[in-house]
Amino acid sequence: MPQRTHPLRNRTRDVKAWWARLWTEKAEVTATTADEPLRAELFSADQMAVHGQRLGAAHVVDPARLPDQLLARLASNERVLVELGKRLATTADAERRLTPAAEWLLDNFYLIEEEVRTARRHLPRGYSRELPRLTLDPANGGGAGQPRVYALALQVVAHGDGQIGRGSLKRFIAAYQSVQTLLLGELWACPIMLRLALIENLRRVASRVAIAHAERQTAGIWAQRMLDVAEKAPSELILVVADMARSTPPLTNAFVAEFARRLQGRGAGLALPLTWMEQRLTESHHTIEQLVHLEGQQQAANQVSVSNSIGSLRLLGAINWREFVESLSGVELALRDDPSGTYAQMDFTTRDSYRHVVEAIARLAPCSETDVARRAVSLSSASAARAQVGPQTIRHSHVGFFLIGAGRAALEQAVGMRRPLRLRVARSAHARALPLYAGAIVLGTLALSAAALLEVHSQLQWPWWGELALGILLLIASSQLVVSLVNWIVTLIVAPQRLPRMNYASGIPADARTLVVVPTMLGSSAGVEELIDALEVRFLANRDARLHFGLLTDLQDAAYEHLADDAALVELAAMRIAALNVKYRVPSNTRRSDDFFLFHRPRRWNERERSWMGEERKRGKLADLNALLRGQARAGPGERFERIVGDTRELSAVRYVITLDTDTQLPRDAAGQFVAAMAHPLNQPQFGSGAQRDIVVEGYGILQPRVALSLVSANRSGYARLHGGETGIDPYT
């Protein structure tokens, strides 16, 4: 007779096999996530400051460079979190019970994925190798082999249970720097390191949540099996208890709590498994009630850690890290002692570029970044003391003169900076930029043309005049190709340098009053309307009490001095300008000049052109405008301007003129940025002496901003379409 197998034992074996597979998955998770969550004694802001000083005294920096471990750890964290997220989602789909921490993880998993992507984007390969690392494992901080700033981030997360506060973080870093000064790169690395530490904490807590979830599932399977047996075959219950005893499940908090929750109060028949479990726990001096209580505490702690970490990840995007770095940087504090007082009035990007220069010099010098900054300030102070009162005083007393100006060599020598071969070659090439650029084009053109000519000469045996004609054509074609190639190579090798500028975010100051003018010609009534509308758009995008807008107009060339439509066109332009002044006039209790102006010139006879026209066209317009602003011109018959519309009393204080073409737009707040660049001491024009008294020897008399081509302009003509998509050093030109 065939052997019969008891159905109860078959189902028990199925349960054991399922349990074994689930426990194997749990073991795999445990093997890869053995680290404990970042939980330490909770500190107040004052305690964090004391802890920062203690860490500063204990940390020792390793001068050697070690391999970058943060990217690998981030990738591992991502794999674990994604896998755990999938498991939790599967459990939620099956409508199984989740703990509060698991619900937090599942509900905010999209945020965790986004933060992981952000961390990977802001952590390029080899980034952490440039950061100082700890050489030993202090008793109160840990972090051997880790970047110093990452070890500090782990401490912030651990002693706040995942909660980061703006005030406590700043006090902690400031207290640490009272003992050890962090590099600028470390201060800027704080956001990414805090993000990595929070992701690390989430990974650790999520791993514990997943392990406890697997333990509860195992306990639930055994409990449900016992409930089924107690209902259908109570006599077989002892066999199920024996099977569970032989499997020796670890009686963890999660397992015991779930098992007891399922069986307690379900009848006297189920007292046997609970009694067995109570006896097993007695061996380790525990009770079911104690482990149930501990499991409740663990779930609450996990929920707090997860919720705090997720909230801190959101907070990282809201913190003003620029203000954070500048308030804690010793370099920033030193540079703000700039004798000229200019540094504190510059925009953030310019200040940051100064700090990067200090960082680069300190990397090659036997002194700290703060020492380099202080040395630059001392050189500026000495220069200010030696300088005579004059236009050069503020320029040479500005700390930027020794950081990005002509005085940088003196600063490098003063701090003992070594100049590696690569730097010396780069500076030598920069000093000979024009010969190198032009020589590369000439040599490239000759090489390409000669190669083709030699091939023709050896293969085709053309007459000399044919080869000459071909050579001329080859020179023209090759030069175009070589110019494009050299321009492309230059853009890869040479990084563009942004001009320093002041911070005029709150408005243009009184000593930098500016006039925006559009030199143009009056040709038709529709054209006048378009000019006025475009001028109004520029005004609305760049509203400032010390910024004025005007049309600088001529009439079209003609055979006669006056045409029938001239007066109507000028009157229309004057009327529209006056209407704009009325439309945007400020309340009468504040004295202010008009915002809009019309500067109209009469026709002059040009003997060479045999025509009545605006004198010297656009160049003449601007020359006459400059004469007017300097008080050397007036309006009226026989004067440079035939008619001026607008109150010109404030125009004598205009210092800068922005000139726009008719089809050139002025983006939002761009005018203030132009003025901020021109007003910087290193950009202000300085004239020579003697024979060079009319020559700008330092700074700039004219600045041409970068101009981009719009889609409409690029398709206006065949010539524009031909060159509109060409890139290079100056696409607009």
Side-chain angles (χ1 to χ4, degrees):
M1 293 180 63
Q3 184 178 1
R4 298 181 61 185
T5 304
H6 198 286
L8 177 59
R9 293 191 179 276
N10 284 339
R11 298 180 65 182
T12 302
R13 280 196 295 269
D14 292 341
V15 171
K16 291 171 65 179
W18 181 93
W19 178 86
R21 177 172 54 82
L22 184 64
W23 202 258
T24 301
E25 294 178 356
K26 175 197 161 189
E28 293 175 355
V29 173
T30 306
T32 58
T33 57
D35 295 327
E36 292 293 330
L38 297 174
R39 292 196 189 111
E41 182 183 357
L42 294 179
F43 284 166
S44 64
D46 293 336
Q47 290 173 318
M48 284 298 294
V50 174
H51 186 54
Q53 290 179 332
R54 188 163 58 244
L55 289 177
H59 281 176
V60 179
V61 175
D62 190 345
R65 288 189 178 185
L66 299 177
D68 188 350
Q69 302 174 357
L70 295 184
L71 274 176
R73 186 61 178 178
L74 177 62
S76 175
N77 289 344
E78 182 181 17
R79 287 193 300 270
V80 172
L81 287 170
V82 169
E83 179 62 29
L84 297 180
K86 291 179 180 178
R87 293 185 185 182
L88 292 177
T90 303
T91 301
D93 292 340
E95 297 184 355
R96 295 174 184 166
R97 178 172 170 266
L98 292 176
T99 62
E103 291 180 351
W104 265 92
L105 287 169
L106 193 59
D107 292 343
N108 294 277
F109 193 71
Y110 72 96
L111 174 65
I112 298 174
E113 289 183 311
E114 176 61 29
E115 292 298 328
V116 170
R117 287 193 294 269
T118 301
R120 189 187 301 109
R121 185 169 61 251
H122 293 167
L123 190 68
R125 187 171 300 277
Y127 174 75
S128 66
R129 292 187 61 190
E130 302 296 328
L131 301 175
R133 292 175 177 269
L134 299 181
T135 188
L136 52 83
D137 193 357
N140 51 354
Q146 295 175 341
R148 177 171 57 178
V149 66
Y150 181 63
L152 294 179
L154 293 177
Q155 290 294 307
V156 171
V157 173
H159 289 285
D161 197 10
Q163 187 173 25
I164 297 175
R166 290 185 178 94
S168 61
L169 174 63
K170 183 176 290 188
R171 291 189 62 183
F172 173 69
I173 299 297
Y176 185 92
Q177 288 202 108
S178 66
V179 182
Q180 284 195 43
T181 302
L182 296 176
L183 300 180
L184 270 170
E186 291 181 288
L187 290 175
W188 281 116
C190 281
I192 184 62
M193 294 303 166
L194 287 170
R195 185 173 279 107
L196 291 177
L198 290 170
I199 293 172
E200 174 73 22
N201 192 39
L202 283 173
R203 174 237 176 96
R204 297 184 183 192
V205 177
S207 300
R208 296 307 183 275
V209 170
I211 292 171
H213 182 70
E215 293 168 347
R216 281 190 295 274
Q217 282 187 299
T218 304
I221 290 294
W222 284 115
Q224 187 60 44
R225 187 70 200 122
M226 292 176 184
L227 288 171
D228 293 341
V229 170
E231 181 181 354
K232 297 177 181 179
S235 61
E236 301 286 345
L237 181 60
I238 191 172
L239 299 176
V240 180
V241 174
D243 286 340
M244 186 178 73
R246 282 194 298 270
S247 66
T248 62
L251 300 184
T252 61
N253 301 345
F255 185 92
V256 172
E258 182 66 17
F259 192 80
R261 186 184 69 84
R262 293 288 193 96
L263 297 185
Q264 281 181 342
R266 302 299 294 268
L270 294 172
L272 177 62
L274 292 175
T275 302
W276 170 83
M277 181 169 288
E278 190 74 47
Q279 291 175 348
R280 283 287 306 273
L281 292 176
T282 302
E283 299 173 2
S284 57
H285 307 287
H286 292 103
T287 64
I288 292 178
E289 289 73 15
Q290 288 177 342
L291 295 189
V292 170
H293 181 67
L294 290 176
E295 173 61 13
Q297 290 181 333
Q298 186 63 43
Q299 289 189 18
N302 289 339
Q303 179 188 5
V304 171
S305 295
V306 172
S307 62
N308 285 345
S309 297
I310 290 175
S312 295
L313 285 174
R314 298 181 187 275
L315 177 67
L316 291 181
I319 294 178
N320 185 347
W321 293 108
R322 293 182 174 184
E323 186 274 334
F324 175 86
V325 171
E326 290 193 333
S327 64
L328 294 173
S329 171
V331 173
E332 174 71 15
L333 185 63
L335 292 179
R336 284 186 177 269
D337 291 332
D338 178 17
S340 68
T342 303
Y343 181 84
Q345 301 175 18
M346 301 188 307
D347 68 347
F348 172 82
T349 305
T350 304
R351 296 198 305 272
D352 194 45
S353 67
Y354 282 24
R355 294 191 293 264
H356 281 309
V357 172
V358 171
E359 196 175 11
I361 294 176
R363 197 175 293 122
L364 300 174
C367 55
S368 67
E369 294 174 347
T370 305
D371 291 337
V372 173
R374 289 171 180 165
R375 188 59 177 167
V377 172
S378 65
L379 289 175
S380 303
S381 300
S383 178
R386 291 193 306 267
Q388 300 294 327
V389 177
Q392 299 281 5
T393 303
I394 188 172
R395 182 184 187 88
H396 291 172
S397 64
H398 173 44
V399 70
F401 180 78
F402 295 94
L403 291 175
I404 64 173
R408 178 166 176 174
L411 174 62
E412 293 176 353
Q413 183 178 4
V415 299
M417 188 189 102
R418 57 180 179 84
R419 297 180 177 88
L421 179 61
R422 178 184 57 82
L423 180 60
R424 294 198 300 269
V425 171
R427 291 187 175 179
S428 178
H430 185 269
R432 300 167 178 81
L434 182 58
L436 288 175
Y437 177 74
I441 293 175
V442 172
L443 291 178
T445 301
L446 293 177
L448 286 179
S449 303
L453 275 177
L454 288 175
E455 185 69 20
V456 170
H457 181 74
S458 60
Q459 298 293 334
L460 300 180
Q461 299 296 325
W462 282 12
W464 68 268
W465 53 267
E467 293 183 358
L468 178 61
L470 178 62
I472 295 174
L473 292 176
L474 286 174
L475 285 174
I476 296 174
S478 300
S479 64
Q480 183 66 26
L481 174 62
V482 172
V483 167
S484 299
L485 182 62
V486 170
N487 285 350
W488 174 69
I489 294 175
V490 167
T491 58
L492 296 179
I493 298 176
V494 182
Q497 299 296 320
R498 183 180 184 271
L499 290 177
R501 63 187 66 182
M502 307 300 290
N503 182 14
Y504 288 167
S506 58
I508 298 174
D511 60 351
R513 187 178 293 273
T514 302
L515 174 64
V516 180
V517 293
V518 182
T520 186
M521 301 182 73
L522 304 180
S524 65
S525 299
V528 172
E529 296 289 348
E530 291 180 3
L531 290 172
I532 298 297
D533 291 342
L535 193 68
E536 184 178 10
V537 169
R538 297 182 183 105
F539 164 79
L540 292 174
N542 296 269
R543 300 194 68 167
D544 192 283
R546 298 181 179 92
L547 189 62
H548 310 278
F549 296 80
L551 291 180
L552 192 52
T553 61
D554 283 333
L555 293 166
Q556 292 183 344
D557 300 356
Y560 303 97
E561 182 178 4
H562 302 287
L563 297 180
D565 297 334
D566 290 351
L569 291 176
V570 175
E571 188 60 34
L572 176 61
M575 181 182 66
R576 290 299 310 275
I577 290 292
L580 287 179
N581 282 324
V582 172
K583 181 177 180 180
Y584 295 104
R585 180 160 292 155
V586 296
S588 57
N589 58 352
T590 59
R591 183 179 180 275
R592 175 178 167 183
S593 173
D594 288 336
D595 292 314
F596 300 92
F597 295 89
L598 173 66
F599 307 98
H600 180 70
R601 299 195 309 164
R603 290 191 183 97
R604 304 291 185 187
W605 174 252
N606 189 311
E607 186 65 29
R608 182 173 181 180
E609 297 288 338
R610 306 297 298 173
S611 175
W612 290 89
M613 57 187 295
E615 186 176 0
E616 296 192 25
R617 301 189 185 279
K618 184 176 182 178
R619 177 181 178 277
K621 289 189 184 76
L622 295 175
D624 290 343
L625 177 64
N626 287 340
L628 176 68
L629 297 178
R630 299 180 66 181
Q632 299 173 359
R634 296 184 299 275
E639 297 293 337
R640 302 189 188 208
F641 290 98
E642 187 176 56
R643 186 167 185 182
I644 296 179
V645 177
D647 185 358
T648 61
R649 287 176 296 176
E650 297 287 346
L651 293 186
S652 60
V654 167
R655 186 176 184 185
Y656 301 111
V657 176
I658 298 176
T659 305
L660 303 176
D661 290 337
T662 303
D663 59 349
T664 302
Q665 301 175 6
L666 192 64
R668 183 180 178 86
D669 299 328
Q673 297 181 33
F674 296 160
V675 178
M678 199 69 181
H680 192 276
L682 297 183
N683 298 331
Q684 292 179 14
Q686 304 296 332
F687 293 90
S689 59
Q692 292 186 324
R693 64 180 181 275
D694 294 331
I695 299 177
V696 176
V697 294
E698 288 185 275
Y700 306 95
I702 298 176
L703 286 181
Q704 177 191 326
R706 180 182 181 273
V707 181
L709 296 177
S710 65
L711 185 62
V712 176
S713 299
N715 291 277
R716 183 164 295 170
S717 65
Y719 183 83
R721 284 192 295 273
L722 179 63
H723 295 280
E726 183 177 355
T727 60
I729 295 178
D730 189 355
Y732 179 73
T733 302

